[in-house]
Amino acid sequence: MTSVQDNIRGKVAIVTGASSGLGESTARHLAARGAKLVLAARRTDRLEQLVAEIRETGGEAIAVATDVAKRADLEKLAAATIEAFGRIDVLVNNAGVMPLSPLAKLRVDEWDRTIDVNIKGVLYGIAAVLPRMQAQGSGHIVNVASIAGLKVFTPIGTVYSATKHAVRAISEGLRVEVGNSGVRVTIVSPGAVESELKFGSSDAEAAAGVKAFYDANQIPADSVARAVVYAVEQPANVDINEVVLRPVSQEF
């Protein structure tokens, strides 16, 4: 009898934002289960180091420099994946930014970047892999949202929350649209998890508040990685639609 763990072995998985935090941990966990990894981020030095570590343990991985805010980069990422491994089984849309500040401070440039990465980046990733997944009759798109997609993170995270609410809406709509084609969709909504996300605020007051909140509550990045693995390892006819996870101590 095949164990669910074997459902990951040999699958080709793209992970965006793989240079640190949730993405790096997810890549390591998938590689440990026998997945072939395509690691995407802007910081290629970190990607190459992770590729080397995965290969040293007998895994397969490549790195592709990617800015998810640029659609052409996602198309190149998908093409590089096909060239290296012949198919795309999993996309983990993990790349994200979290610059926080009250709306009245009018950090409009930061709003634009948050929308470009957190919403458009997810959509560009979907656009790059969906035709290939539908053509092969299988695939799995995992979108990393946030607790802030369930509840508006006021008074400093309104725009960030808006982007994560959008990720949840996109994911649910996609799930309904593509289910009959064999493509699965999962939303993972974490609370405070150890990553560089908490350092994204240029507003000093917001940055101090976020640091204190994370210091008091955060759980390791592999908490999210295990949730992704759980969703991906299910049999092909089972779709884990949404996973919500928080530190036990986190109220929000």
Side-chain angles (χ1 to χ4, degrees):
M1 182 176 178
T2 302
S3 73
V4 290
Q5 295 186 13
D6 292 332
N7 291 334
I8 295 179
R9 185 165 303 282
K11 282 187 174 178
V12 178
I14 299 171
V15 180
T16 68
S19 59
S20 65
L22 281 59
E24 178 185 351
S25 184
T26 297
R28 291 183 187 278
H29 276 254
L30 289 171
R33 296 295 190 92
K36 301 174 183 179
L37 270 298
V38 179
L39 309 178
R42 290 179 296 166
R43 295 178 293 187
T44 52
D45 55 334
R46 292 198 182 191
L47 292 182
E48 293 294 353
Q49 182 179 343
L50 182 54
V51 165
E53 291 176 19
I54 290 172
R55 288 177 176 172
E56 283 172 10
T57 59
E60 294 184 62
I62 63 169
V64 182
T66 306
D67 180 348
V68 298
K70 299 176 180 177
R71 185 181 178 190
D73 277 18
L74 272 301
E75 294 298 330
K76 290 176 184 175
L77 174 63
T81 303
I82 295 295
E83 182 179 351
F85 297 119
R87 58 187 291 116
I88 301 171
D89 297 300
V90 180
L91 167 65
V92 182
N93 265 323
N94 164 74
V97 295
M98 190 177 71
L100 303 174
S101 62
L103 288 173
K105 295 200 174 181
L106 301 181
R107 301 287 174 98
V108 178
D109 287 347
E110 292 185 354
W111 301 352
D112 286 342
R113 180 64 180 166
T114 306
I115 290 167
D116 286 347
V117 174
N118 293 4
I119 301 179
K120 291 182 179 179
V122 167
L123 288 169
Y124 293 160
I126 292 168
V129 305
L130 185 58
R132 294 170 169 90
M133 289 181 174
Q134 289 184 302
Q136 68 195 21
S138 66
H140 197 161
I141 296 172
V142 180
N143 294 328
V144 178
S146 170
I147 292 298
L150 298 165
K151 186 176 181 180
V152 179
F153 186 13
T154 55
I156 59 173
T158 301
V159 173
Y160 178 73
S161 278
T163 65
K164 293 303 186 177
H165 276 75
V167 170
R168 294 187 71 245
I170 291 164
S171 302
E172 174 61 8
L174 179 64
R175 180 190 71 81
V176 175
E177 286 188 36
V178 303
N180 288 333
S181 67
V183 178
R184 304 187 293 181
V185 180
T186 299
I187 317 164
V188 178
S189 298
V193 175
E194 168 60 37
S195 76
E196 295 180 2
L197 203 63
K198 63 188 173 188
F199 301 126
S201 303
S202 64
D203 179 72
E205 189 176 354
V210 169
K211 182 181 184 302
F213 178 76
Y214 271 71
D215 286 349
N217 292 286
Q218 67 188 6
I219 51 180
D222 68 357
S223 309
V224 176
R226 290 195 304 271
V228 174
V229 167
Y230 169 69
V232 174
E233 73 183 3
Q234 300 304 311
N237 63 345
V238 176
D239 189 358
I240 302 298
N241 302 140
E242 184 163 12
V243 180
V244 178
L245 63 143
R246 292 176 174 89
V248 173
S249 60
Q250 182 176 338
E251 182 181 349
F252 169 73

